Amino acid sequence: MRVEIWSDIACPWCYIGKARFEKGLESFAHRGDVEVVHRSFELDPGHAKGEVGSVTDMLAAKYGRSRQEALAMEEQVASHARAEGLGYLVGDRDHGSTFDIHRLLHLAKARGRQDALLDVVYRANFAEERSVYDTETLVDLAVEAGLDEAETRVLLADEDAYADDVRADEREAAELGATGVPFFVLDRRFGVSGGQPAEVFTQALEQAWQGRALTPVGEDPAAACDADGACEIPQAHTHA
Amino acid sequence: MRVEIWSDIACPWCYIGKARFEKGLESFAHRGDVEVVHRSFELDPGHAKGEVGSVTDMLAAKYGRSRQEALAMEEQVASHARAEGLGYLVGDRDHGSTFDIHRLLHLAKARGRQDALLDVVYRANFAEERSVYDTETLVDLAVEAGLDEAETRVLLADEDAYADDVRADEREAAELGATGVPFFVLDRRFGVSGGQPAEVFTQALEQAWQGRALTPVGEDPAAACDADGACEIPQAHTHA
C-alpha cells in the first residue's frame, strides 16, 4: 500500500500531522507493507527566492494582528506540537521560498533519504529556529540526513534540477482536490486532509487495506504467462 | 495517475503486452499525466542462478511436446509480436534466472532509466536472441540504456543489492491477486491481466481517470494550512 503525503516544510500542521500519521501507522497491523512518499506543495509559491522575512511579521500582516497576537497564535500551535512530543520554539523563525527545499527532497527521494531529510528540516525550522532558507544550513541538514554534500551543492546551484518534479507534485495535488496541506492520499483511493488525530490515520489505513481489491478490466482468456511458467496463446480470438 | 506493470523479461506476453499498453496509452487524452512503474515478477523463481538452458527444451519438457512442436508454438507467439511491430526470433533463446535482471531494473528505476532498460533487455532476449543471462551482455545493455557501467557491475556482483525490492514487488503482486504476467494496476484501483488489445488499455486508463475522486476520511475542521498560507487552529475540538 502506498501513502502519499503532500506537505510544505513551512507548514506547522504538516510537521505535527507527520508525527500523528506515524503514530497512527504504528497501530496499523500491516504497517510493514506501507510505503510512504512525500510530495511537494508550496504554501507560498509566489515567494521570491532571496526574500527571507519573519514569520511573526507575516502572520501579523496576514491576520491584521499585532506581533504579540501573532506570537500567541503560534503558542497555541506549539502546544499541539508539544503534545505530540515535538520541539517547537515560539520565537521568530524565518519565512521564505521553500522551492529549493522541495527540489532537495526530490533528490533525497531518489537516494532513499527523503523521510530522514524531511524530519531534519522540520526539526531545524520549528524546534531549533535555524534558517532553512540559508544554503549552508540546508547543506548541513542534507548531510545529516545522509545525502552527499557535493551532490547537494550541485543540486542547489542548478535551479532546474528536480524543478519539474516539484511542479508535477503540485499539479497533482490540485487534480486530487487538495486545497491545503498536509494532504494524505492512500493508494489513490482515500484522502485525509489535515493533521488529523492518530486514530483517524489508523482508520484510513484500515479502510484502504480492506478496499484493496482491484476492479478487473479486459477480457478472458488473456495473453499471459502464468506463475507456473506457462505462456498460453489465447485461442478464443486473436488481436493481431 | 500511476500504472504499475508487473512483468518478467522472460515472458513473451509481457514483451508484447508492453507494446500494446503503450499503443493504448497513446490514445489516452491524459497520457502526459500517467507515470509508469515496472515491477518484478519471476516466472521461474526457483531457477538456479548459474543454470542457463534452452527455452525450446524447457517448453518441450513443460508441455510434453517435441522440440519441433515447441518451436511451432513459439512461431505463433512470434506472429503476435510481429503484428505489434516487434522483432521476434524463433531460434533457441536462453532460459535462466531473471532475478539479477530484476535487481538491475530496480537500480535503473532509481536512475530514471527503468523503461529504457526494459526495452533494451526485451529486444536483446526476443528480437536478437542474445543471452541476457550473461553478465557482460547485461552490462552492455545497461550502458546502452544509460546506466553507469561501474555501478552496474557493483550491483551485479552484490547479490543483496535491491534483492529485497524484487521480493517486495513479488509479494505485492500476490497480495493484489496476480497469478501471471503481464499484470497492470492503475492507481491501485483497476487491474488488467495479460497482454490485452491496445483498446482495452485505453478503456482501463479512461475508467481509472474517471474514478479518480478520493473518498475522504476524517473530520472537519482539519488542522491544516491552506493554499493561501493560513494555518488555522481547529476550534471545534482539540486532539492534544
Side-chain angles (χ1 to χ4, degrees):
Chain A
M1 199 160 76
R2 190 169 72 141
V3 179
E4 295 162 280
I5 309 177
W6 273 265
S7 55
D8 193 351
I9 74 96
C11 152
W13 291 116
C14 298
Y15 174 48
I16 297 166
K18 183 173 191 287
R20 289 180 177 169
F21 168 77
E22 285 165 2
K23 202 175 286 179
L25 182 61
E26 261 177 55
S27 306
F28 177 57
H30 305 282
R31 61 187 170 278
D33 293 303
V34 176
E35 175 201 4
V36 175
V37 180
H38 296 284
R39 300 217 175 270
S40 304
F41 190 106
E42 291 165 279
L43 281 178
D44 194 357
H47 203 101
K49 185 179 170 170
E51 263 176 41
V52 177
S54 136
V55 77
T56 313
D57 290 345
M58 182 276 287
L59 289 172
K62 178 177 287 294
Y63 295 103
R65 309 270 182 94
S66 68
R67 273 183 55 89
Q68 207 175 353
E69 285 169 325
L71 287 169
M73 284 168 65
E74 270 288 287
E75 190 54 61
Q76 278 196 278
V77 176
S79 69
H80 286 274
R82 290 177 196 134
E84 301 299 334
L86 298 169
Y88 202 108
L89 291 182
V90 181
D92 201 352
R93 68 177 178 276
D94 275 355
H95 174 72
S97 165
T98 57
F99 194 74
D100 282 355
I101 303 173
H102 285 296
R103 294 197 299 110
L104 188 58
L105 281 163
H106 274 277
L107 170 67
K109 181 181 168 199
R111 300 289 173 268
R113 311 301 306 161
Q114 194 186 39
D115 196 75
L117 180 64
L118 193 53
D119 280 341
V120 164
V121 175
Y122 273 142
R123 190 201 65 211
N125 189 44
F126 293 108
E128 300 169 352
E129 285 186 358
R130 288 164 73 187
S131 182
V132 294
Y133 308 100
D134 169 73
T135 299
E136 290 308 310
T137 305
L138 212 46
V139 170
D140 287 348
L141 296 173
V143 169
E144 188 183 337
L147 286 178
D148 179 72
E149 178 178 338
E151 193 177 32
T152 300
R153 289 190 187 278
V154 167
L155 172 123
L156 292 174
D158 174 7
E159 288 189 6
D160 291 334
Y162 291 103
D164 287 347
D165 298 84
V166 175
R167 291 187 197 108
D169 279 0
E170 295 182 332
R171 223 170 27 241
E172 211 155 22
E175 284 168 10
L176 289 166
T179 56
V181 281
F183 185 65
F184 302 77
V185 176
L186 294 81
D187 270 353
R188 290 287 166 112
R189 264 174 214 260
F190 298 93
V192 179
S193 284
Q196 304 261 354
E199 51 272 24
V200 169
F201 290 112
T202 308
Q203 183 206 322
L205 288 160
E206 281 163 2
Q207 213 167 321
W209 188 264
Q210 300 295 326
R212 291 186 98 203
L214 300 172
T215 305
V217 182
E219 43 190 52
D220 272 327
C225 299
D226 292 342
D228 70 352
C231 300
E232 303 292 352
I233 298 153
Q235 296 302 337
H237 38 248
T238 57
H239 313 290
Chain B
M1 199 160 74
R2 190 169 71 140
V3 179
E4 296 162 280
I5 309 177
W6 273 264
S7 55
D8 194 350
I9 73 95
C11 154
W13 291 115
C14 299
Y15 175 49
I16 297 165
K18 183 173 191 289
R20 290 180 177 170
F21 168 77
E22 284 165 3
K23 201 174 285 180
L25 182 62
E26 260 176 55
S27 306
F28 177 57
H30 307 283
R31 59 188 170 279
D33 293 304
V34 175
E35 175 201 5
V36 176
V37 180
H38 295 285
R39 299 216 175 269
S40 304
F41 191 105
E42 293 164 278
L43 281 180
D44 193 358
H47 203 103
K49 185 178 171 170
E51 263 176 41
V52 178
S54 136
V55 77
T56 313
D57 291 345
M58 183 275 288
L59 289 171
K62 180 179 285 296
Y63 295 103
R65 307 270 182 96
S66 68
R67 273 183 55 88
Q68 208 176 348
E69 286 168 326
L71 287 168
M73 287 167 63
E74 270 289 286
E75 191 54 61
Q76 279 197 275
V77 176
S79 69
H80 287 275
R82 289 177 197 135
E84 301 299 335
L86 298 169
Y88 202 107
L89 291 183
V90 180
D92 201 352
R93 68 177 179 277
D94 275 353
H95 175 72
S97 165
T98 57
F99 194 75
D100 282 356
I101 303 172
H102 285 298
R103 294 197 298 111
L104 188 59
L105 282 163
H106 275 277
L107 170 68
K109 182 183 168 197
R111 299 290 173 269
R113 310 302 305 162
Q114 194 186 39
D115 197 72
L117 180 64
L118 194 53
D119 281 341
V120 164
V121 175
Y122 274 143
R123 191 201 64 212
N125 188 44
F126 293 108
E128 301 169 352
E129 285 186 357
R130 287 164 74 187
S131 183
V132 295
Y133 308 100
D134 169 74
T135 300
E136 290 309 310
T137 305
L138 211 46
V139 169
D140 286 349
L141 296 173
V143 169
E144 188 184 338
L147 287 178
D148 179 71
E149 178 179 337
E151 195 178 31
T152 300
R153 289 189 187 278
V154 167
L155 171 123
L156 292 174
D158 174 6
E159 288 188 6
D160 292 334
Y162 290 105
D164 287 348
D165 298 83
V166 175
R167 292 189 196 105
D169 279 359
E170 295 183 330
R171 223 171 27 241
E172 213 155 23
E175 284 167 12
L176 290 166
T179 56
V181 283
F183 185 65
F184 302 77
V185 175
L186 294 79
D187 270 355
R188 289 288 166 111
R189 264 173 213 260
F190 297 93
V192 179
S193 284
Q196 305 259 357
E199 52 272 25
V200 169
F201 290 112
T202 309
Q203 181 205 324
L205 288 160
E206 282 164 1
Q207 213 167 323
W209 189 265
Q210 300 297 328
R212 289 187 97 202
L214 300 172
T215 305
V217 181
E219 43 189 52
D220 270 331
C225 297
D226 291 342
D228 71 350
C231 301
E232 303 291 352
I233 297 155
Q235 297 300 337
H237 38 246
T238 58
H239 314 287

